[in-house]
Amino acid sequence: MFDLDKWQEIIANIRANKLRALLTAFGVSWGILVLLVLLGAGSGLENGVNRNMSGFATNAVYVWGRRTTLPFAGMLPGRWVRYDNRDTEAIARTISGIEHLAPRNQLGGFRGGNTVSRGDKSSTFSVYGDYPQFIRIQPMIISEGRFLNHIDIVDRRKVAVIGKTAKEILFAPGEDPVGKAIKINGVYFTVVGAFTSRQRGEGGERHAQSIYIPFTTFQRAFNVGDRVGWFAITAQPGVDAERVEKDIRSVLAARHKISPDDEQAIGSFNAKKEFDKVQNLFLGIRGLIWFVGVFTLLAGVIGVSNIMLIVVKERTKEIGIRKAMGATPFSIITTFIQESVMITSVAGYLGIVAGVGLIEAVDKLGIENDVFANPTVELSTALIAAAILVLAGGIAGIVPAWMAAKVDPVEALRSE
Amino acid sequence: MNALYSMLMEQGALPPCRCTVSFVSMIRLTKINKSYRIGQHALHVLRDVDLHIKAGEMVSIMGSSGSGKSTLLNILGILDQYDSGDYYLDETPIRALSERKAAMYRNRFIGFVFQSFNLLPFKNALENVAVPLYYQGVSRRKRNRIATSYLDRVGLADWAEHLPSEMSGGQKQRVAIARALVARPRVILADEPTGALDSETSYQIMQILEEVNQSGITVVVVTHEHDIAERTHRIIRLHDGRVQTGDPVPVRQ
Ligand SMILES: Nc1ncnc2c1ncn2[C@@H]1O[C@H](COP(=O)(O)OP(=O)(O)O)[C@@H](O)[C@H]1O
Ligand SMILES: [Mg+2]
């Protein structure tokens, strides 16, 4: 039952001991603040990393060649594993469950950089030979023109799709790059499209410095024959990407006379596996945050309980007087529990406001990178925290309230 | 009981009572014993105390310090328990009451006045007077209205907003008396109500208590001051926890 009169009485009590109520409240405010800020930081971490990962298809598999480490079929270890177009065909032919298969090349090798120029403007960018389906594996937003298409591949056209940074460096602001020529490694290409990355942070920046040209054009223009640098693959929906990864590895191992035991000879990366790992990590972090936060909060609540006990001691005389005036044990118990709930709730509310405010302020700073973006606390989380507080306040008040109800009025009134 | 009273009165052992004193028993103690446990020992504070106070009487309890006056008063006020004997308050046996019942009696039946006033320091005069009504569940507005009228009755209407710390001892005790009266109790129990006051103020307080008594409320005053005791109808003397017999003669008139 809501008893306005009782609340007014309690507010009067708290007012009579402002400083102590403030100090008690601080512990709880601090506890909930810590919990919320931790949760906010955790969500920032999660958002940052997830956003960074959202630039990838989570069912993507990458396979590249390395050096053999074991002798096999009369071959010495230390041999470079190099792929070519026939490997692409073999994979396409023999392995089921593949949605997109994109053999890739990069000028200057993996993560190599190459000078790209246009008139007097030039800079170093990553130049890739790619198939049209690569855009399905690494999503990007086509801001102008188009991505590579089938005819580009068949006709080995000298066309290029350039990243946002490349466009900004090579073209004047507002200038339409489509139809203009750029020079890559001494060869002229016509720009047919520009894109912005879906990735954020460092990965996104690197992506925006990329230039895509048709795979077939790449092989001919840059004299790599039928060589394939590495493969990017996505598994069909519902197909286990790890199984696809394993199948590709064993097909390639057989084709290149690699010992089945030589794990080192073929490099591969399974985004799904990494994604799951990261999600598990987040789960762990979240658990840890709740653990730490709840215990900080608990410390605050125990503080309330302790101070309420002191309050009961200090107010023994008052309780005695009230009992002489006809206060029932029930009214005393409920008064103290309500006072405890009141202090924790108000303090908790202030902590929640401060915590949410702090998190929003940090969010407004616009910190965005590979590991941090958009820290938020969901309303439901704050409400759960508030509910925990009210409950905890009640529990914190039980022992002090019981002690108060047990005060012997004669003893209380005798003490001067 | 009434027959005995009239018989005693005819014999001149009792005064022709004032009209407010009835023949109805308000407080009746028989063979009340009370001891405090101090470590291994027991301190026998009240020994076979017999006491009979009629409705509308104004009596004083005298005795040296430590003779058990406060203990007796606390038992009368159901603040404390007794070990053996019988206690009838308004013909109702008071024995092993639940805390809730005891609170109810203290709230509606009994008003306390203490030597050290025992006002709540952070509440103003009006709020202090209203406390017993709060425990009756009376609404704030009604509480304040009633409390104001009682403050007025003790001459402190203008002091309603003042904190106890802003008042003199006599004023504080008047607030305490107003608080004791506010729930319209049948009995006022005052434990050395003038013990902390100078004699002039003491007389003012006694004047108020006499007026309270004349309104029909039974008043029991614990004191060790003769001039205070002499203003009551009857003195009950306590010595080492026993009621001294042989002085039922009223001191007044
Ligand atoms: N709670 C208690 N525990 C132990 N001894 C007590 C307690 N209350 C009172 N006494 C003792 O009982 C005796 C009577 O006390 P009290 O009734 O206060 O006397 P008075 O009011 O006549 O001075 C005193 O010796 C006092 O020390
Ligand atoms: Mg005493």
Side-chain angles (χ1 to χ4, degrees), chain A residues 222-281:
Chain A
F222 301 125
N223 277 324
V224 294
D226 60 356
R227 185 145 299 163
V228 172
W230 71 95
F231 297 97
I233 306 109
T234 52
Q236 284 168 2
V239 170
D240 181 11
E242 212 173 331
R243 198 268 297 160
V244 172
E245 179 189 9
K246 275 207 187 98
D247 287 356
I248 294 173
R249 285 180 67 103
S250 56
V251 165
L252 291 175
R255 289 179 56 81
H256 291 269
K257 297 195 170 64
I258 297 166
S259 161
D261 302 326
D262 193 350
E263 294 286 325
Q264 300 293 311
I266 297 172
S268 65
F269 171 85
N270 176 349
K272 178 78 170 78
K273 210 159 73 188
E274 300 303 312
F275 186 78
D276 287 349
K277 258 191 226 166
V278 172
Q279 295 307 317
N280 279 337
L281 181 70

Side-chain angles (χ1 to χ4, degrees), chain A residues 323 326, chain B residues 77-78 97-107:
Chain A
K323 280 196 160 182
Chain B
I78 326 178
L97 291 184
S98 70
E99 281 262 24
R100 204 174 62 82
K101 248 305 182 23
M104 200 270 280
Y105 272 104
R106 293 196 288 258
N107 184 243

Side-chain angles (χ1 to χ4, degrees), chain B residues 66 69-71 115 191-192 222:
Chain B
K69 306 183 295 293
S70 295
T71 305
Q115 175 177 3
D191 194 350
E192 310 211 24
V222 162

Side-chain angles (χ1 to χ4, degrees), chain A residues 212-228:
Chain A
Y212 298 106
I213 63 171
F215 185 80
T216 48
T217 316
F218 186 104
Q219 282 181 333
R220 177 168 295 176
F222 301 125
N223 277 324
V224 294
D226 60 356
R227 185 145 299 163
V228 172

Side-chain angles (χ1 to χ4, degrees), chain A residues 5-6 8-9 13 16 317-318 321-329 331 409-410 413 416, chain B residues 74 79-80 99 103 106-107 112 114 116 118-120 122-123 131-132 134-135 140 143 179:
Chain A
D5 223 31
K6 190 151 200 168
Q8 281 172 336
E9 185 82 355
N13 287 346
K317 177 124 191 186
E318 180 196 329
I321 295 170
R322 286 177 180 278
K323 280 196 160 182
M325 299 301 127
T328 56
S331 75
V410 175
L413 292 171
E416 281 299 322
Chain B
N74 287 336
L79 285 171
D80 208 348
E99 281 262 24
R106 293 196 288 258
N107 184 243
F112 290 95
F114 304 94
S116 55
N118 283 338
L119 299 176
L120 300 180
F122 51 89
K123 285 191 180 290
V131 166
Y134 170 78
Y135 289 113
R140 177 166 292 254
R143 237 168 38 220
R179 178 180 66 179

